[in-house]
Amino acid sequence: MINSSVTPAKKHHSLSRRIVAQFCIFTLVLSSLYGLLSFSLIYDLEDNFIYNTMDNEAKYLTEGYQQQGQWPKPRSNNMQLHFSKDTLPDAVTSKLVTEPKRAEFFGKKGLHYHLYALPDFQEVYLLAEVSDMLLVRPMSGSLLRLLLAASFVLMIIACLIAWLLGRNTAKPLQQLADLVDGVAPEHIPDNFAEQFPRNEIGILATTLEETMARIKQALAREKNFTRDVSHELRTPVAIIKNTVEVYQSRHNLDKSADQQANDALAVDTLMKRIGDASVQMEQTVVTLLSLAREEQTSVDKSAVNLIALIEQAVIDHSYLLNNKAVEVVVDDNTNTRLYLQQGMLKVLLDNLISNAFQYTYTGEVRISYLDNRLIIADTGSGIEADIADKVTELAVKGSQSTGYGFGLSIVKRLCEHQGWQLKVSSTSTSPSHGSSNAINKGTEISVLFSS
């Protein structure tokens, strides 16, 4: 039995709604606490007022007793002196049995008592029936309803404010989500973070922008790698294919005694060509993988004999000069050693030399090295004026080109990756199609290697 489970899609929760809901709940709790605090404070104020009134009356009675030797009559009609607990109303005495320190008592028919024990006099009490003095307790129900209504109104106002704030706060986030949701990284516009405010949302947008830029660069490197591999491996693959065909043709022919004697040498020569092409393919793959990496690497750098790689590139692409009156000049100053990645230099030379051979019909191709700068100059057809400024861009090629326009693009990215300075100059005008006459001064490409 196959167990399959489908992960349910996550529900979408609106941020603005959550802000409104939490703000309203906060307002409701805060207004409730404030209402309870206000209600308690009003009660305390009323009790303190009654207590202060009784305290002043108790001082008056005490002073009168001390001056006259007898207790004066209370000035307020709602107050009475009691010299024993037994004379107090039943509603008071019944509570004093269990709560001897109690000062507030509720009687029948809405009566409300406050008891004040005179200091320094035992069994002398001032009792006040304060139901006529109460303002808060009779209207407590109305007061509670008022507080509840005020809380409700405050909550409505708070919800409205929260809705406005939530909408304004969530709007840029929603715009950011719409911008990146379901959109391929290469279709997301550059510098989109500038349209967002300079706060946490702006920081998030900037981070997303940087991440998307790195993703786009990684995708571009991946595309470049697959394209560059197909471009750069054509030559070694062709060499291997032709070598195998030569070997098969020789192997299938009837051989004379002399041919049989030379078989071993022929096989060794063919296998050497296949081996050299395989090494070139390996170095090319390693080089293109290095270009596809995000960071520059110094792995496999070594001292490389420049003239040896130039001669190998000239030999590998010499077929491009067949039936052409072109002289290849390699200056002695190229007999030097450079400390760099051999594969990188090999790809660079293969592209530049093959281009010079392909587009030079008469004259010469000169390769020189001076002041840490490699120079390849030719007297070929040059670069057409309409593409001179963008000849190193991807898929840009002249009208006479039979390739795909990838060679100089690879050279440009290789130089940028290694920190080399590439310079392309040409004094040509657009040649007529099919013309093999040099009507210009050719092209010069130089590469200044980093020290």
Side-chain angles (χ1 to χ4, degrees):
M1 180 178 179
I2 299 176
N3 244 346
S4 62
S5 60
V6 179
T7 303
K10 293 184 177 179
K11 294 182 179 180
H12 177 70
H13 298 283
S14 173
L15 180 60
S16 59
R17 291 182 182 177
R18 294 188 64 179
I19 293 175
V20 171
Q22 293 178 4
F23 204 95
C24 290
I25 293 173
F26 171 76
T27 304
L28 179 61
V29 173
L30 187 63
S31 59
S32 299
L33 291 176
Y34 179 77
L36 290 175
L37 180 62
S38 300
F39 198 73
S40 300
L41 182 61
I42 293 173
Y43 263 78
D44 288 340
L45 287 174
E46 188 174 61
D47 288 339
N48 286 334
F49 172 75
I50 296 174
Y51 176 82
N52 290 333
T53 302
M54 295 185 69
D55 184 62
N56 291 332
E57 187 68 19
K59 291 179 180 178
Y60 164 74
L61 295 173
T62 302
E63 291 175 357
Y65 176 77
Q66 291 174 348
Q67 294 176 359
Q68 301 174 8
Q70 59 181 3
W71 292 98
K73 184 179 179 180
R75 292 172 297 181
S76 179
N77 294 330
N78 65 335
M79 296 184 186
Q80 297 176 351
L81 273 176
H82 292 264
F83 302 97
S84 174
K85 291 181 180 180
D86 297 335
T87 61
L88 295 173
D90 293 339
V92 177
T93 54
S94 60
K95 294 292 184 179
L96 286 176
V97 174
T98 55
E99 300 176 66
K101 294 185 178 181
R102 184 166 177 169
E104 186 176 1
F105 306 88
F106 298 93
K108 297 179 180 180
K109 298 181 180 181
L111 297 178
H112 194 87
Y113 299 101
H114 272 254
L115 185 66
Y116 187 95
L118 273 66
D120 302 328
F121 297 95
Q122 292 185 352
E123 296 296 322
V124 178
Y125 301 95
L126 178 63
L127 181 67
E129 199 286 304
V130 296
S131 57
D132 293 336
M133 299 174 60
L134 298 179
L135 297 176
V136 177
R137 285 169 176 80
M139 55 183 299
S140 58
S142 301
L143 188 59
L144 282 174
R145 287 191 293 271
L146 177 62
L147 290 175
L148 288 175
S151 299
F152 180 77
V153 172
L154 286 176
M155 188 181 68
I156 295 298
I157 296 174
C159 289
L160 178 61
I161 296 174
W163 179 76
L164 294 173
L165 291 176
R167 186 181 65 173
N168 293 334
T169 302
K171 184 176 180 180
L173 284 175
Q174 185 63 48
Q175 292 175 345
L176 183 60
D178 293 339
L179 183 66
V180 301
D181 185 24
V183 181
E186 59 267 24
H187 295 151
I188 295 177
D190 297 329
N191 302 322
F192 64 83
E194 295 178 355
Q195 60 183 297
F196 294 96
R198 295 184 178 180
N199 51 23
E200 288 80 357
I201 299 175
I203 295 173
L204 176 60
T206 301
T207 304
L208 282 175
E209 180 182 288
E210 294 173 352
T211 302
M212 290 299 175
R214 296 181 65 178
I215 292 175
K216 286 195 284 189
Q217 291 172 2
L219 292 174
R221 287 194 299 269
E222 181 182 351
K223 291 180 181 178
N224 290 336
F225 174 73
T226 55
R227 181 185 61 248
D228 297 345
V229 165
S230 64
H231 180 271
E232 292 299 314
L233 296 186
R234 285 184 301 174
T235 298
V237 168
I239 292 174
I240 293 176
K241 180 181 178 181
N242 293 336
T243 303
V244 172
E245 290 175 352
V246 170
Y247 172 76
Q248 289 176 341
S249 64
R250 290 185 178 181
H251 183 72
N252 294 331
L253 293 174
D254 294 333
K255 302 176 183 177
S256 63
D258 292 338
Q259 288 175 329
Q260 292 176 0
N262 293 328
D263 269 354
L265 179 60
V267 170
D268 288 343
T269 302
L270 294 174
M271 291 302 104
K272 184 178 184 304
R273 292 188 65 190
I274 293 176
D276 291 343
S278 300
V279 171
Q280 181 181 349
M281 290 174 64
E282 180 183 10
Q283 291 180 344
T284 300
V285 170
V286 171
T287 299
L288 296 180
L289 281 173
S290 298
L291 280 179
R293 293 173 184 165
E294 183 175 358
E295 70 282 353
Q296 181 176 340
T297 176
S298 59
V299 178
D300 296 331
K301 282 189 176 181
S302 59
V304 179
N305 190 342
L306 177 60
I307 194 170
L309 289 183
I310 292 175
E311 291 175 347
Q312 183 63 50
V314 170
I315 294 172
D316 290 343
H317 299 93
S318 59
Y319 67 92
L320 296 172
L321 297 179
N322 291 340
N323 303 320
K324 293 182 180 180
V326 176
E327 180 182 5
V328 179
V329 180
V330 180
D331 288 351
D332 293 338
N333 51 25
T334 59
N335 189 13
T336 184
R337 302 182 75 84
L338 303 176
Y339 187 75
L340 39 70
Q341 288 180 291
Q342 181 173 331
M344 294 284 185
L345 184 57
K346 175 65 175 170
V347 172
L348 179 87
L349 291 172
D350 283 343
N351 279 282
L352 295 182
I353 290 176
S354 64
N355 277 354
F357 286 2
Q358 182 173 357
Y359 300 111
T360 303
Y361 303 102
T362 60
E364 71 173 20
V365 175
R366 179 174 292 274
I367 306 171
S368 58
Y369 179 80
L370 183 64
D371 295 334
N372 207 31
R373 185 187 299 272
L374 173 69
I375 303 172
I376 300 178
D378 63 63
T379 58
S381 57
I383 302 172
E384 298 173 18
D386 57 342
I387 64 170
D389 295 335
K390 53 183 179 180
V391 69
T392 57
E393 296 180 8
L394 181 63
V396 174
K397 60 179 184 177
S399 59
Q400 291 186 323
S401 174
T402 58
Y404 299 101
F406 294 158
L408 284 180
S409 171
I410 295 175
V411 171
K412 176 187 176 183
R413 287 188 292 106
L414 188 150
C415 290
E416 291 175 348
H417 185 273
Q418 293 296 304
W420 302 340
Q421 296 181 21
L422 174 66
K423 182 179 180 181
V424 181
S425 59
S426 178
T427 56
S428 68
T429 58
S430 298
S432 60
H433 291 281
S435 172
S436 60
N437 298 323
I439 61 174
N440 46 62
K441 297 182 180 180
T443 303
E444 179 180 292
I445 297 180
S446 65
V447 177
L448 177 62
F449 299 106
S450 57
S451 56

